[in-house]
Amino acid sequence: MIYPNINAERSRHGLTLEAFANALGVNRKTIYNWMVRGDIPQSALEKMADLFGCTIDYLLDNKHPTLH
């Protein structure tokens, strides 16, 4: 996994991969591909940050856990 904070937040919020994908309006395979390839669209990152109540910087870099 390229972005451990995304998975950590998903787990912390009790979201299954299916529920996470549904919240973002995509399917599980899309989420898997993003995580393996590290190629997440900006719009999806924005949705994730809103969903988790954190910044995109936090999601992409585990050294900056700034919440907004």
Side-chain angles (χ1 to χ4, degrees):
M1 166 137 343
I2 295 174
Y3 304 114
N5 286 348
I6 294 173
N7 194 48
E9 287 299 314
R10 182 178 66 82
S11 294
R12 187 170 76 83
H13 285 82
L15 294 172
T16 64
L17 189 58
E18 185 75 26
F20 183 46
N22 287 338
L24 298 177
V26 298
N27 62 44
R28 292 182 328 189
K29 186 173 181 176
T30 299
I31 298 286
Y32 175 80
N33 288 335
W34 288 345
M35 299 313 235
V36 170
R37 295 181 186 146
D39 185 21
I40 305 172
Q42 181 70 26
S43 61
L45 288 169
E46 291 168 1
K47 286 181 184 178
M48 288 179 204
D50 286 344
L51 179 66
F52 298 141
C54 65
T55 64
I56 292 172
D57 286 339
Y58 167 72
L59 293 174
L60 299 179
D61 181 2
N62 63 9
K63 296 178 184 125
H64 299 93
T66 306
L67 299 179
H68 72 154

